[in-house]
Amino acid sequence: MESAGNGVGVISWKRNLYAITIAQAIAIIAFSLREPILPFFLKDLGADTTEAATRWNGLVASVGGFTMAFTAPIWGIIGDRHGRKPMLLRSMIAASITIFLMGFATAPWHIVMLRLIEGAFTGTVTASTALVATSAPKERLGYNLGMVQTAVFAGAAFGPAMGGIAAEQIGYRPVFYLASVMMVLATI
């Protein structure tokens, strides 16, 4: 066991890094599963023209980032006071709930509202990066941060393809449930 160097106790920074890397890869795959199907799902929910589906999809894609821009500093302050691991768990649990609820949406505005909530309460990449950065030895910080980024990019590469295949096999709504289960697994 190696010290985290942050006064919190003795943890293995390597075990921490690999657990977070795997969890983050799973989380980004889960987030990305819905990307290829969202415009079609929005059409099913009532965005009955291609133009309407495009507008709703653009709104869905932007509102999460918008709320994250305002809430990320708040979660950072809370993480400084109460620890980074609770912030990572909060973000993963919030994502599993909001993604699950998207599977029950009956109108495009439901997806928009859930993305607003998701943006306000998630932020798995930031939380993972902060946790890894505070537990890594200084001489291994670049490697640790690179591993988290590798997980993000790998998840973003595989998730959309998996989402498209899953939607073809099981339908749109079950993709959201699958993504939610994956977020639960990432949390564990």
Side-chain angles (χ1 to χ4, degrees):
M1 298 292 241
E2 300 173 37
S3 174
N6 59 7
V8 176
V10 178
I11 62 167
S12 168
W13 67 267
K14 289 179 184 177
R15 186 185 75 207
N16 193 47
L17 170 65
Y18 298 128
I20 291 170
T21 299
I22 292 166
Q24 192 57 55
I26 294 168
I28 298 301
I29 289 171
F31 279 123
S32 300
L33 285 177
R34 61 193 172 183
E35 285 180 22
I37 66 165
L38 199 52
F40 305 106
F41 186 56
L42 289 165
K43 270 186 128 172
D44 284 355
L45 296 180
D48 46 1
T49 66
T50 301
E51 292 78 17
T54 302
R55 277 192 303 276
W56 280 108
N57 193 49
L59 188 58
V60 168
S62 63
V63 296
F66 180 77
T67 54
M68 274 187 193
F70 289 102
T71 59
I74 296 166
W75 290 121
I77 292 167
I78 294 170
D80 287 343
R81 292 184 183 155
H82 300 287
R84 279 138 186 108
K85 185 176 179 182
M87 295 301 97
L88 179 56
L89 294 174
R90 179 246 333 133
S91 68
M92 296 257 188
I93 292 166
S96 66
I97 293 167
T98 56
I99 293 170
F100 181 75
L101 291 174
M102 286 179 189
F104 293 100
T106 58
W109 70 268
H110 295 160
I111 301 292
V112 171
M113 294 308 294
L114 287 165
R115 278 292 289 136
L116 273 167
I117 294 166
E118 186 178 276
F121 290 97
T122 62
T124 64
V125 175
T126 305
S128 293
T129 302
L131 183 55
V132 165
T134 57
S135 65
K138 284 186 181 184
E139 66 275 4
R140 299 299 303 222
L141 186 58
Y143 171 75
N144 280 252
L145 295 176
M147 288 294 291
V148 173
Q149 289 304 306
T150 297
V152 170
F153 295 132
F158 290 111
M162 292 172 63
I165 293 167
E168 183 180 41
Q169 300 298 314
I170 61 176
Y172 299 147
R173 288 183 190 277
V175 169
F176 291 95
Y177 308 139
L178 172 62
S180 179
V181 167
M182 291 177 72
M183 289 303 301
V184 170
L185 291 175
T187 303
I188 293 169

